[in-house]
Amino acid sequence: MPKTNEPIDAIELLTQQHREVAEMFERFENMTDRAKVSKKKLADEICNALIMHTTIEEEIYYPATRAASDETEDMIDEAVVEHASAKDLIAQIMEMDPGDDLYDAKVKVLGELVEHHVEEEEEEMFPKTRELKLDLKALGQEMQARQKEIEASQ
């Protein structure tokens, strides 16, 4: 997560968060079954990062993108449904322990779901958003402020 007060555009912010979460999923994949405490800590970190990310997208980025063009409607609807699936898995993972049946499988499936979602956003939604008449710097600032609030409450 960006620590500077430098304004970042909304798409750069989201893309940066995508990379950070992908790296966390990769670290999780490389952990051994014996690393239960580390696994739980990292899985919770992933879940919290995704909760923050989906919240700022749903509260700020998606509404702004939807309001700017009717052409984004289907993309955003699909993204919101994907978020709902991810949130369901996140809730399950956060209630579980690494020794539980299906724990690793649920984290892996969450990673695959997120990977698919990220690909669609970065290849379809973000380029479309760049074409719209949005102030992406102002949107990015608003999203960073909301991110800080969420992280402070986690």
Side-chain angles (χ1 to χ4, degrees):
M1 312 298 151
K3 298 293 182 238
T4 65
N5 291 330
E6 185 105 1
I8 183 170
D9 107 7
I11 293 171
E12 290 169 15
L13 177 67
L14 296 174
T15 302
Q16 193 174 331
Q17 291 173 356
H18 289 166
R19 296 297 163 274
E20 289 166 0
V21 169
E23 188 269 330
M24 285 190 269
F25 275 116
E26 197 173 308
R27 282 194 346 241
F28 187 91
E29 281 289 310
N30 292 323
M31 289 181 154
T32 66
D33 287 341
R34 291 192 309 274
K36 289 192 185 350
V37 173
S38 299
K39 269 186 160 176
K40 177 67 176 163
K41 189 173 185 290
L42 183 56
D44 286 351
E45 202 177 310
I46 290 168
C47 290
N48 284 325
L50 289 172
I51 290 166
M52 178 275 298
H53 181 79
T54 57
T55 301
I56 66 172
E57 281 187 333
E58 289 175 9
E59 289 181 0
I60 301 165
Y61 178 71
Y62 291 167
T65 303
R66 191 186 299 269
S69 170
D70 291 341
E71 292 177 43
T72 60
E73 186 96 19
D74 290 345
M75 266 188 270
I76 293 168
D77 287 350
E78 191 177 316
V80 169
V81 171
E82 288 173 348
H83 278 190
S85 297
K87 287 176 189 175
D88 183 45
L89 268 176
I90 288 166
Q92 291 177 46
I93 291 164
M94 291 186 88
E95 292 297 313
M96 296 175 78
D97 288 312
D100 294 349
D101 288 346
L102 304 180
Y103 184 83
D104 287 1
K106 287 183 183 194
V107 175
K108 183 171 183 59
V109 169
L110 179 62
E112 291 167 354
L113 184 76
V114 167
E115 188 178 334
H116 166 79
H117 178 75
V118 162
E119 197 174 290
E120 285 189 342
E121 280 188 343
E122 292 183 4
E123 291 176 11
E124 297 168 32
M125 190 184 296
F126 292 174
K128 178 58 98 183
T129 303
R130 287 228 181 266
E131 295 169 11
L132 304 174
K133 302 287 182 255
L134 284 171
D135 183 343
L136 293 174
K137 288 271 189 225
L139 211 52
Q141 283 182 300
E142 189 181 343
M143 289 162 58
Q144 275 184 307
R146 183 68 178 111
Q147 174 182 342
K148 286 186 177 96
E149 285 175 13
I150 295 164
E151 287 173 340
S153 70
Q154 286 180 339

